[in-house]
Amino acid sequence: MKTMDERPVQVGSARSGRFKKHHAEDLAGRSYTFICVALLIVIIISIVFFVASKGLSTFFRDGVSVSDFLFGSTWDPEGNQGDPVYGVLPFIFGSFATSLLAALIASPLSICASLFMTEIVPGWGKKLLQPVIELLAGIPSVVYGFVGLTVLVPFLRNVFPGQGIGIAAGSLVLSVMILPTITSVATDALSSLPRGLKESSFALGATRWQTISRVILPTVLPSILTGIVLGMARAFGEALAVQMVIGNAPHIPRSLFESASTLTSVITLDMGNTVMGSAHNDALWSMALALMFMTFIFVLLVRLLERRNRI
Amino acid sequence: MQTTSFRTEHLSVFYGQYEAVKNISLNFPEQSVTALIGPSGCGKSTFLRSLNRMNDEISQAKIKGRIWIDGVDINDPSTDVIQLRQKIGMVWQKPNPFYKSIYENIAFGPKYHGIKNKKQLDEIVESSLRKAALWDEVKDRLKQSALSLSGGQQQRLCIARALSVNPRILLLDEPASALDPVSTSKVEELIVELKKELSIVIVTHNMQQAARISDYTAYFYMGTLMEHNETEVIFTNPENAMTQEYISGRFG
Amino acid sequence: MKAKLTDKIATFFIVFFALLIVAVLVGLIGFILVRGLGYINWSFLTSPPQTIRAGGGIGPQLFNSLFLLVLTLIITIPLGLGAGIYMAEYAKPGKFTSAIRLVVEVLSSFPSIVIGLFGMLLIVNLLGFGFSLFSGAVVLTIFNLPLMVRITEQAFRSVPKEQKEAGLALGLSKWKIITSVLFPVALPSIVTGTVLASGRVFGEAAALLYTAGMSTPRLDFTDWNPMSPTSPINPFRPAETLAVHIWKINSEGLAPDAAQIAAGASAVLVILVLAFNLFARWIGGVLYKALTASKRMG
């Protein structure tokens, strides 16, 4: 048998100049990537800090009460009818109305699109619709706004009473914009279903629609809801496309075809016309804070749905 | 000839609460092939992967016990694992050449370890490929992508790559299980040839292969080392009844 | 019998709605191109806009958009790669890692107007960079970073783990493995993803209104001194991009041909975004081929 000489290890001694190079390299790499991640955290903390500190001054410095702000239906920041009034309920209403309606229009279309791609004609259906969905996602929002303004608004004006602008126009534009979001989430969920699920239903003699409506859709419902929430989040935060077609009147409209506003549209238009630090300007920041708050809610909803989906 | 000693002492590997490898002390004599055999999930691959601490990158595996290479404990916190791994080459079940040229696959390691001279690198590439019995097949297309080679050629390239940094030990994790019979016998011949220079540890499911090429065989079952002896003894006259049953193909 | 009829009706509606979506896209793009293409010519693409008279072009805006994209990518790519690599290769499952994931998710869900406002407050006002290409690039980086992180992380995760192990067994440092073994394999999907993300950045307007600004100084395209206020490549000058320009002329355009200019500019924007999409697919394929089968490799 061989002798067990337990000499100290010789590796590296021949090239001692490079002895610790790999440690230095690893440390540099790890530090660099960590700094990048840390920067992400710094960014989010500063966004939250700056928006919150500006947005809260409406309540702490300008003395507007939170309930007057959130539930007041009069927006008169320049005090044209006496004292300035900062009620943003019309804009909150506008934001919720447009994004909910958009989700209502887009969801069935998106579900049909993803069923088309995965269940009806999985081959060419996917080849046809996948690029269509990607392109819809790629078109810039100002282009949606422009087309909405030049095609949709005149069309609505001719068909319905009113000027064509308003919640209806805004929701329709937004619905096309969030179609890709809902469709891609739903398609992912549908295509990751186990094969056996469908086949056992067919084996029981169920038709395709019975299989879809009783087996497939209930199974993927949490995923579809996730997609809808993500779509609504996008619609809620979209600024320019909505602003271009909604009319921008600061009140709660009496019909879908009457000029209205959303949180984003008011911020977009007024931010450039107010002086930083004025109460009017602070009120705009408070709306931005409300938008941010809604983002948190949407993220939370998505998380809850994903958790349910996992179980 | 440089000599190397390599052995484990009370080595255990844990995945959380689960003890995948239980208290194994095993010596790998020089210039010999040790085959690790046993049914799937018996811990032989986990054991092999812990020998060069491949597990710490991949999972939450915890290791207890010692692995001695030339008197250095691989598991000691002060040991420079990255440097030590140079001494322990490894080849996997599925060929995994780098997405680089054939030449670069071999030259990459030596270059990193400080060899800059082009002529010296050329020599290393040629000698490694010769040792892996691949030189004649690829010498005219060294600049081509390694992925253009056949599966068997890729696996020999991976062996050549492992040899390029001049290891003392070679760990082989079922190196022929994804290959056709012709490539398999080439790889087996290669292993027999290579043991003249280094100690080889091979995990295999193929009993004939273990019998053909190994000098020592260790039989694993449920994370425990059931039996370890010269291959001839294990295959002709095993002490343990379970070893006998496994080898004759009655279970596993 | 009834079940079969319902099945037929349901199938009809699914197909109908799916085709409706196709029709919407075809209609959208068709409308934009039909309206806009007639207006696009060399002088439209190169000459500056007119405020009140007809015949203005989009030259400076087009240049601004492209230049801003380049600036954004210069900042985004190193940061996005770094953070993505951390998530794929260094992050261990645990509280910290899930906190970062939450950060990325929240950051990617922020409305772009909110990010724009943040940029206006911090970069434009407090740090004093003013309405400038630089401010715009920082904001677009924040807007784009979460996507870049995801693209990078996914690309690295999809590299077979045996590649990493092979590098470890050769005694390479982890960083060397990341940069020299894994990165080349991940590169095609990173490039494809980056180009697609660029299309999104290119069309973004809301975040830029109050950061890059809504006006462009008179540019002298013979002045290439980056510090000169009229130089096109001065990163500290205000710059209205193409997307912002489209928004502006639609809401407050005074020129008699504002509608045509908006149509022309929209067509240019859509064509460029389409080009980004096609380019992304093409370059991904080319790089993948180069990686796996090329004859000449270093």
Side-chain angles (χ1 to χ4, degrees):
Chain A
M1 278 308 289
K2 269 117 207 156
T3 50
M4 289 283 175
D5 61 333
E6 308 231 315
R7 287 174 300 143
V9 68
Q10 295 286 317
V11 187
S13 56
R15 312 174 193 107
S16 51
R18 308 171 36 81
F19 189 59
K20 290 294 174 199
K21 178 192 155 193
H22 53 267
H23 287 302
E25 232 171 43
D26 264 348
L27 186 69
R30 185 180 267 278
S31 317
Y32 168 66
T33 56
F34 182 77
I35 288 170
C36 294
V37 164
L39 192 69
L40 279 175
I41 300 173
V42 170
I43 288 172
I44 199 133
I45 290 177
S46 26
I47 293 180
V48 173
F49 171 78
F50 279 109
V51 173
S53 66
K54 287 292 277 178
L56 290 175
S57 48
T58 302
F59 313 116
F60 292 118
R61 211 185 55 198
D62 307 326
V64 180
S65 86
V66 179
S67 64
D68 285 352
F69 181 79
L70 288 179
F71 305 114
S73 54
T74 312
W75 173 254
D76 183 13
E78 300 302 321
N80 295 330
Q81 268 112 41
D83 284 335
V85 187
Y86 307 98
V88 299
L89 187 65
F91 313 141
I92 293 178
F93 173 84
S95 286
F96 273 102
T98 46
S99 46
L100 278 170
L101 273 175
L104 213 59
I105 303 165
S107 302
L109 282 168
S110 304
I111 294 168
C112 287
S114 47
L115 286 173
F116 185 75
M117 280 190 273
T118 54
E119 305 298 327
I120 310 284
V121 270
W124 64 266
K126 189 144 197 154
K127 277 204 190 99
L128 170 73
L129 266 182
Q130 191 75 35
V132 166
I133 297 295
E134 281 171 22
L135 286 177
L136 281 177
I139 294 178
S141 61
V142 284
V143 173
Y144 279 112
F146 165 70
V147 176
L149 198 59
T150 44
V151 181
L152 187 63
V153 169
F155 170 79
L156 291 175
R157 184 160 54 216
N158 290 337
V159 177
F160 298 97
Q163 294 297 304
I165 48 179
I167 304 259
S171 316
L172 281 168
V173 168
L174 283 175
S175 67
V176 183
M177 294 178 70
I178 65 174
L179 254 175
T181 314
I182 309 177
T183 307
S184 51
V185 176
T187 308
D188 283 351
L190 284 171
S191 44
S192 62
L193 280 180
R195 283 185 64 84
L197 193 69
K198 236 186 315 179
E199 276 153 14
S200 57
S201 171
F202 283 137
L204 290 171
T207 64
R208 181 161 60 192
W209 173 245
Q210 282 169 333
T211 307
I212 290 174
S213 62
R214 292 183 201 163
V215 181
I216 296 179
L217 287 183
T219 315
V220 296
L221 186 66
S223 299
I224 291 178
L225 288 176
T226 306
I228 293 174
V229 173
L230 285 171
M232 273 188 65
R234 185 171 177 208
F236 205 89
E238 172 54 40
L240 302 189
V242 185
Q243 183 274 325
M244 287 162 90
V245 298
I246 200 163
N248 304 306
H251 54 73
I252 297 178
R254 275 158 300 175
S255 89
L256 293 177
F257 307 99
E258 195 179 295
S259 177
S261 289
T262 63
L263 291 168
T264 51
S265 73
V266 177
I267 296 175
T268 307
L269 283 182
D270 287 10
M271 194 49 91
N273 306 323
T274 54
V275 183
M276 191 71 92
S278 65
H280 183 180
N281 186 273
D282 286 347
L284 299 176
W285 282 97
S286 306
M287 288 189 235
L289 181 61
L291 279 176
M292 202 167 76
F293 184 73
M294 278 310 294
T295 306
F296 295 144
I297 304 263
F298 285 126
V299 170
L300 190 73
L301 275 174
V302 167
R303 289 255 155 157
L304 288 176
L305 284 166
E306 275 171 354
R307 190 166 303 166
R308 247 191 71 189
N309 203 11
R310 232 175 285 137
I311 294 165
Chain B
M1 169 105 214
Q2 196 185 342
T3 59
T4 298
S5 70
F6 189 39
R7 64 193 169 86
T8 67
E9 197 180 299
H10 304 301
L11 186 74
S12 297
V13 183
F14 297 87
Y15 292 117
Q17 292 294 308
Y18 175 66
E19 192 174 4
V21 170
K22 294 173 186 162
N23 193 24
I24 291 181
S25 300
L26 205 52
N27 184 33
F28 305 102
E30 207 162 339
Q31 289 182 292
S32 65
V33 177
T34 304
L36 310 181
I37 61 168
S40 304
C42 68
K44 57 190 192 298
S45 277
T46 306
F47 177 75
L48 187 84
R49 290 170 58 83
S50 64
L51 293 179
N52 60 349
R53 277 179 59 183
M54 205 45 78
N55 284 328
D56 24 320
E57 278 303 324
I58 309 309
S59 62
Q60 310 298 84
K62 283 252 177 331
I63 294 177
K64 248 174 67 186
R66 290 162 183 278
I67 301 166
W68 295 102
I69 172 167
D70 285 340
V72 173
D73 179 9
I74 293 183
N75 289 328
D76 194 279
S78 66
T79 303
D80 184 347
V81 198
I82 296 176
Q83 232 163 14
L84 207 62
R85 283 201 185 108
Q86 238 190 103
K87 278 199 147 187
I88 313 170
M90 189 162 186
V91 175
W92 288 258
Q93 184 171 1
K94 237 179 75 196
N96 58 346
F98 293 140
Y99 288 46
K100 296 176 189 294
S101 69
I102 295 168
Y103 181 94
E104 196 61 24
N105 258 277
I106 313 291
F108 190 60
K111 253 194 223 168
Y112 178 74
H113 293 298
I115 296 169
K116 293 271 186 284
N117 184 318
K118 174 88 169 77
K119 220 176 127 224
Q120 213 179 339
L121 282 173
D122 289 349
E123 278 165 17
I124 292 176
V125 169
E126 183 174 343
S127 73
S128 305
L129 285 170
R130 276 191 195 284
K131 279 183 206 163
L134 192 61
W135 173 252
D136 290 332
E137 289 162 63
V138 300
K139 64 182 176 205
D140 299 324
R141 46 172 178 152
L142 292 174
K143 293 285 170 208
Q144 276 186 32
S145 168
L147 287 103
S148 65
L149 297 172
S150 74
Q153 289 174 324
Q154 287 188 14
Q155 193 63 309
R156 277 179 286 146
L157 181 73
C158 291
I159 295 175
R161 179 179 63 191
L163 297 174
S164 69
V165 290
N166 206 14
R168 305 304 315 140
I169 296 150
L170 200 54
L171 308 178
L172 306 171
D173 191 357
E174 300 186 46
S177 67
L179 303 183
D180 60 274
V182 178
S183 305
T184 301
S185 66
K186 276 191 181 163
V187 169
E188 285 183 12
E189 283 168 31
L190 199 52
I191 292 171
V192 174
E193 193 59 34
L194 287 172
K195 80 168 181 189
K196 291 175 188 161
E197 293 182 33
L198 17 79
S199 13
I200 293 174
V201 185
I202 177 171
V203 164
T204 179
H205 270 121
N206 183 335
M207 289 310 108
Q208 285 80 21
Q209 187 172 65
R212 274 197 300 267
I213 62 173
S214 72
D215 304 294
Y216 299 90
T217 298
Y219 174 61
F220 281 62
Y221 183 70
M222 306 270 282
T224 314
L225 176 62
M226 302 300 282
E227 190 166 354
H228 174 218
N229 211 327
E230 283 173 27
T231 300
E232 224 184 289
V233 178
I234 294 260
F235 277 84
T236 53
N237 191 18
E239 284 169 22
N240 193 314
M242 279 178 83
T243 315
Q244 168 75 48
E245 280 187 29
Y246 178 72
I247 288 168
S248 52
R250 248 166 274 169
F251 80 100
Chain C
M1 235 11 246
K2 194 168 158 275
K4 280 215 172 122
L5 187 65
T6 325
D7 184 57
K8 281 222 171 84
I9 294 171
T11 308
F12 170 79
F13 274 107
I14 292 173
V15 174
F16 175 77
F17 281 130
L19 295 181
L20 181 67
I21 294 174
V22 179
V24 166
L25 178 84
V26 172
L28 255 171
I29 294 192
F31 172 79
I32 294 162
L33 295 184
V34 167
R35 265 292 177 89
L37 277 183
Y39 207 71
I40 299 175
N41 54 41
W42 184 246
S43 114
F44 178 68
L45 291 176
T46 53
S47 59
Q50 298 288 347
T51 330
I52 324 173
R53 283 186 294 123
I58 55 166
Q61 283 74 21
L62 192 54
F63 176 83
N64 287 341
S65 286
L66 293 169
F67 188 40
L68 186 59
L69 176 62
V70 171
L71 286 176
T72 305
L73 290 180
I74 290 174
I75 312 176
T76 310
I77 289 174
L79 292 176
L81 283 181
I85 288 173
Y86 183 91
M87 295 309 284
E89 301 298 330
Y90 290 110
K92 296 225 157 64
K95 281 206 176 125
F96 182 69
T97 302
S98 33
I100 306 170
R101 284 198 196 290
L102 184 64
V103 164
V104 173
E105 197 178 334
V106 170
L107 204 53
S108 70
S109 321
F110 271 154
S112 56
I113 183 95
V114 171
I115 298 176
L117 292 188
F118 164 74
M120 173 180 85
L121 188 60
L122 183 67
I123 319 286
V124 174
N125 291 340
L126 287 178
L127 298 180
F129 285 100
F131 289 152
S132 65
L133 282 161
F134 177 78
S135 307
V138 171
V139 164
L140 287 183
T141 295
I142 298 176
F143 171 76
N144 199 24
L145 206 47
L147 189 58
M148 274 305 292
V149 173
R150 276 184 205 163
I151 290 166
T152 309
E153 184 183 349
Q154 265 172 20
F156 269 85
R157 278 191 192 281
S158 61
V159 180
K161 77 172 197 316
E162 288 83 3
Q163 290 286 317
K164 194 203 289 187
E165 294 187 348
L168 287 172
L170 283 177
L172 305 179
S173 73
K174 192 162 179 181
W175 185 243
K176 180 70 180 176
I177 295 170
I178 289 170
T179 52
S180 301
V181 177
L182 307 183
F183 182 66
V185 187
L187 191 64
S189 23
I190 293 178
V191 171
T192 305
T194 308
V195 176
L196 280 175
S198 300
R200 205 173 78 109
V201 166
F202 198 77
E204 175 55 29
L208 293 176
L209 296 179
Y210 300 113
T211 49
M214 287 182 259
S215 64
T216 305
R218 195 186 52 79
L219 296 180
D220 176 2
F221 277 87
T222 56
D223 180 0
W224 295 95
N225 169 14
M227 289 300 129
S228 153
T230 57
S231 166
I233 58 165
N234 179 353
F236 300 107
R237 65 173 174 85
E240 181 195 33
T241 66
L242 196 53
V244 172
H245 189 62
I246 293 171
W247 177 75
K248 211 176 89 178
I249 43 184
N250 269 306
S251 31
E252 50 192 57
L254 293 176
D257 56 352
Q260 287 94 318
I261 292 176
S266 298
V268 172
L269 198 56
V270 165
I271 290 169
L272 283 170
V273 168
L274 288 181
F276 274 112
N277 268 279
L278 292 175
F279 180 69
R281 274 161 225 282
W282 176 79
I283 189 83
V286 167
L287 281 175
Y288 187 76
K289 256 192 207 140
L291 184 70
T292 49
S294 99
K295 303 244 166 184
R296 290 194 42 79
M297 293 181 77

